[in-house]
């Protein structure tokens, strides 16, 4: 075994100072395997973003990320409020039903309609929207890079948060929507909308119809007897495939850079261990492979999939 490893990776007299790993056939097979792994990871990230599990975990991740950003600035965490989450869900489905992406609908329905509809007796509230993404961290970064969205996340006046992530189609394009509500209630809340804030009625259409397709696990989150902490929600939602989907890109990149460093070391040894014995074709092929691998390692599929994030 030791001899085989030595013959494969270390230039010495037994392999004529030409490690097996640097032979064109070996490098070709390695290139195919590494490219296939990268392609599968990229494809799975795209597929995973259109699943119910992605919606549940992303909602929880966005809450955790918001509270993390607040904690870094000495602000108290936001508590998950089921009513805010329900309002966000209804707003998201209404956008899909009516083919728009905006704070106010084409018929004039404001963001606050959805809070009043579910009886959230707010004294102050805010809304962040995002679409076309496959990873929660990119959404949070986009919001934090926008002064208005960042202001909502870091607003000390808000005490509660609710988020919904849904997948659907707008204007013929598949997309993922995120609706993030912030709010603070009056001292006493009621299950009915407050009289001072009448529900908006649109003369040209009836009250919006809400799609019923709500994931079973998410119903437990929205209608459970108590509001769990964001970290608990995230932990419950995580599974083996969830972790792979979220972390595969970074894991693969690190692995590829390690392979890259090993190959560079092997090429250097091949050149300098015995300077009198050189294999120009082998060295050239290895250098070309190293350049290819460096390009593959630097390729960030998640960054490309999330390059078109739209926030308002």
């Amino acid at each position: 075994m030791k001899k085989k490893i030595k013959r494969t990776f270390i230039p010495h007299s037994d392999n004529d100072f030409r490690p097996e790993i640097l032979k064109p056939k070996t490098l070709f097979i390695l290139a195919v395997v590494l490219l296939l792994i990268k392609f599968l990871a990229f494809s799975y990230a795209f597929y995973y973003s259109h699943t119910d599990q992605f919606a549940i975990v992303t909602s929880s991740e966005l809450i955790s990320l918001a509270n993390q950003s607040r904690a870094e600035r000495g602000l108290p965490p936001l508590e998950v409020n089921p009513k805010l989450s329900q309002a966000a869900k209804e707003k998201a489905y209404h956008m899909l039903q009516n083919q728009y992406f905006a704070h106010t609908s084409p018929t004039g329905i404001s963001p606050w309609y959805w809070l009043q509809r579910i009886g959230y007796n707010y004294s102050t509230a805010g809304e962040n929207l995002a679409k076309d993404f496959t990873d929660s961290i990119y959404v949070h970064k986009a919001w934090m890079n926008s002064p208005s969205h960042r202001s909502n996340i870091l607003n000390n006046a808000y005490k509660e948060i609710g988020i919904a992530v849904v997948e659907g189609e707008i204007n013929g394009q598949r997309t993922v929507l995120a609706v993030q509500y912030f709010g603070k209630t009056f001292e006493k809340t009621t299950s009915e909308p407050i009289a001072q804030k009448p529900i908006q009625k649109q003369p040209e259409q009836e009250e919006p119809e809400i799609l019923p397709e709500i994931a079973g696990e998410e119903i437990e989150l929205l209608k459970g007897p108590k509001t769990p902490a964001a970290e608990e929600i995230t932990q419950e939602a995580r599974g083996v495939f969830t972790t792979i989907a979220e972390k595969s890109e970074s894991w693969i990149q690190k692995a590829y850079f390690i392979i890259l460093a090993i190959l560079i070391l092997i090429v250097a040894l091949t050149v300098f261990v015995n300077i009198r014995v050189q294999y120009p074709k082998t060295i050239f092929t290895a250098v070309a492979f190293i350049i290819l691998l460096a390009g593959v390692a630097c390729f960030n599929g998640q960054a490309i999939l999330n390059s078109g994030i739209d926030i308002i």
Side-chain angles (χ1 to χ4, degrees):
M1 185 66 177
K2 290 183 179 180
K3 287 184 178 181
K4 187 174 182 180
I5 293 175
K6 185 177 180 181
R7 186 177 182 83
T8 303
F9 297 102
I10 301 174
H12 62 290
S13 57
D14 289 349
N15 58 17
D16 294 327
F17 301 97
R18 187 187 185 195
E20 297 289 334
I21 190 69
L22 297 185
K23 291 183 177 181
K25 182 179 179 180
T26 306
L27 288 176
F28 176 77
I29 294 174
L30 184 59
V32 171
V33 171
L34 294 178
L35 287 172
L36 182 61
I37 291 173
K38 196 76 171 181
F39 174 76
L40 291 175
F42 179 83
S43 301
Y44 187 73
F46 181 77
Y47 162 78
Y48 178 70
S49 67
H50 295 81
T51 64
D52 290 338
Q53 183 74 355
F54 171 81
I56 297 170
V57 173
T58 301
S59 297
S60 304
E61 287 286 346
L62 288 173
I63 294 171
S64 296
L65 289 168
N67 280 333
Q68 180 180 326
S69 293
R70 290 172 66 90
E72 290 170 356
R73 294 157 179 83
L75 297 172
L78 298 167
E79 295 184 4
V80 180
N81 185 296
K83 287 188 175 182
L84 285 179
S85 296
Q86 183 63 33
K89 173 72 71 175
E90 294 190 5
K91 168 67 180 284
Y93 277 136
H94 188 259
M95 285 194 290
L96 290 178
Q97 283 179 294
N98 293 275
Q99 298 292 287
Y100 73 95
F101 178 66
H103 289 296
T104 302
S105 77
T107 56
I109 300 176
S110 77
W112 325 127
Y113 169 87
W114 305 102
L115 303 183
Q116 297 164 351
R117 174 187 172 88
I118 49 83
Y120 185 75
N121 188 15
Y122 65 92
S123 59
T124 182
E127 178 189 63
N128 285 345
L129 302 179
K131 72 179 180 72
D132 299 334
F133 58 89
T134 64
D135 193 290
S136 53
I137 189 64
Y138 289 95
V139 180
H140 183 71
K141 285 181 178 178
W143 279 336
M144 290 299 289
N145 288 333
S146 166
S148 59
H149 298 81
R150 176 189 174 97
S151 176
N152 271 339
I153 293 173
L154 302 180
N155 193 331
N156 198 31
Y158 299 140
K159 304 301 179 185
E160 298 173 322
I161 189 172
I163 294 181
V165 176
V166 300
E167 186 268 340
E169 187 174 300
I170 293 181
N171 298 325
Q173 298 292 325
R174 300 302 296 180
T175 188
V176 179
L177 295 176
V179 179
Q180 185 180 53
Y181 270 126
F182 305 89
K184 177 185 178 183
T185 60
F186 290 102
E187 290 298 323
K188 294 183 179 181
T189 59
T190 63
S191 59
E192 299 296 330
I194 56 176
Q196 292 81 353
K197 296 186 177 74
I199 296 178
Q200 301 177 13
K201 297 291 185 179
Q202 306 303 317
E204 61 273 35
Q205 75 170 48
E206 297 178 355
E207 182 177 294
E209 178 184 357
I210 307 304
L211 289 178
E213 300 91 24
I214 299 177
E217 291 181 70
E218 195 143 5
I219 290 177
E220 293 299 318
L221 167 63
L222 299 180
K223 297 183 179 179
K226 64 177 182 177
T227 301
E231 292 78 10
E232 294 176 348
I233 301 172
T234 303
Q235 188 62 34
E236 290 175 4
R238 285 188 187 281
V240 174
F241 292 106
T242 299
T243 303
I244 291 174
E246 292 180 331
K247 307 300 181 184
S248 60
E249 190 80 28
S250 60
W251 288 348
I252 290 173
Q253 276 192 310
K254 290 176 182 177
Y256 281 20
F257 279 118
I258 291 173
I259 295 172
L260 188 63
I262 293 173
L263 287 175
I264 292 174
L265 177 60
I266 293 173
V267 171
L269 289 174
T270 302
V271 172
F272 296 110
V273 162
N274 191 336
I275 200 72
R276 293 172 298 176
V277 180
Q278 299 294 321
Y279 298 93
K281 183 178 179 181
T282 298
I283 294 172
F284 174 79
T285 303
V287 170
F289 177 80
I290 287 172
I291 294 173
L292 172 65
L293 181 58
V296 173
C298 293
F299 174 82
N300 190 330
Q302 286 286 16
I304 292 176
L305 289 174
N306 289 276
S307 60
I309 289 180
D310 190 4
I311 61 172
I312 56 173

